[in-house]
Amino acid sequence: DTEVTQTPKHLVMGMTNKKSLKCEQHMGHRAMYWYKQKAKKPPELMFVYSYEKLSINESVPSRFSPECPNSSLLNLHLHALQPEDSALYLCASTPEPLLAASTDTQYFGPGTRLTVL
Amino acid sequence: QKEVEQNSGPLSVPEGAIASLNCTYSDRVSQSFFWYRQYSGKSPELIMSIYSNGDKEDGRFTAQLNKASQYVSLLIRDSQPSDSATYLCAVSAQGGSEKLVFGKGTKLTVNP
């Protein structure tokens, strides 16, 4: 199994809803990432989990709450989002955290297209 | 602030031509360099990685790295309409950081 899976593929939610995005990989990777990507922009890093611990939070608003229940699974809990949060949310993983001189490559999942009404 | 710069394009080439995509980076001690291809509405797909100065070839793709000039490029030979996509350059930041820094991407169109 050499892929990162994400569910759901599409999500429409209201500003008062609570929803969760799910990401899974069974490659034994020890680092997992959440990115947000708006149209015609590069992916923007949100969170990094290394060995199931949150290692980077790029000053993301608290309405986004990540969770890493185990080494294969990464969730992103969403609450009270704004319309400007509508974007493609990408999960990625690497065998080890991306450290200096590492030759590990980052694999992306297919993404969840989120629309906030 | 570590930066990765790419020409935003669009870059348009005829089918069968060589497409040349360029990327410069600001962090002199960056170690790992990646090219991702992204079709509209899809997630980025890794097509090349390069870590040492020189050329690395994989099929129709050649990545070139020059650390002295802080420059990395991607050549696509015999370009096909299916190569039409946005190409993202990404650089692994130095110093124990677990981040990839992405350029803004170059949109490539290959005309039949």
Side-chain angles (χ1 to χ4, degrees), chain A residues 33-36 43-48 54-62 64 66, chain B residues 1 97-101:
Chain A
Y33 309 76
W34 279 116
Y35 287 88
K36 172 183 176 180
E44 179 184 334
L45 184 66
M46 300 174 73
F47 303 104
V48 180
L54 183 65
S55 57
I56 293 179
N57 176 342
E58 292 286 278
S59 302
V60 179
S62 60
F64 296 92
Chain B
Q1 177 76 11
S97 171
E98 294 154 314
K99 295 174 22 170
L100 278 184
V101 181

Side-chain angles (χ1 to χ4, degrees), chain A residues 54 63 67 102:
Chain A
L54 183 65
R63 58 185 183 269
E67 179 197 19
S102 169

Side-chain angles (χ1 to χ4, degrees), chain A residues 14-81:
Chain A
M15 289 189 285
T16 58
N17 292 158
K18 284 186 183 181
K19 297 286 185 183
S20 296
L21 309 184
K22 179 179 172 181
C23 172
E24 206 159 0
Q25 56 85 16
H26 295 286
M27 297 178 280
H29 288 183
R30 305 314 303 268
M32 297 182 76
Y33 309 76
W34 279 116
Y35 287 88
K36 172 183 176 180
Q37 188 176 26
K38 303 281 274 185
K40 300 188 193 305
K41 300 288 187 184
E44 179 184 334
L45 184 66
M46 300 174 73
F47 303 104
V48 180
Y49 273 83
S50 298
Y51 291 87
E52 301 165 49
K53 294 196 185 313
L54 183 65
S55 57
I56 293 179
N57 176 342
E58 292 286 278
S59 302
V60 179
S62 60
R63 58 185 183 269
F64 296 92
S65 175
E67 179 197 19
C68 188
N70 59 59
S71 60
S72 300
L73 187 56
L74 186 66
N75 297 320
L76 186 63
H77 303 298
L78 313 172
H79 174 55
L81 294 193

Side-chain angles (χ1 to χ4, degrees), chain B residues 76-90:
Chain B
I76 306 174
R77 290 182 300 281
D78 189 23
S79 295
Q80 301 296 309
S82 58
D83 295 326
S84 299
T86 295
Y87 289 80
L88 295 163
C89 174

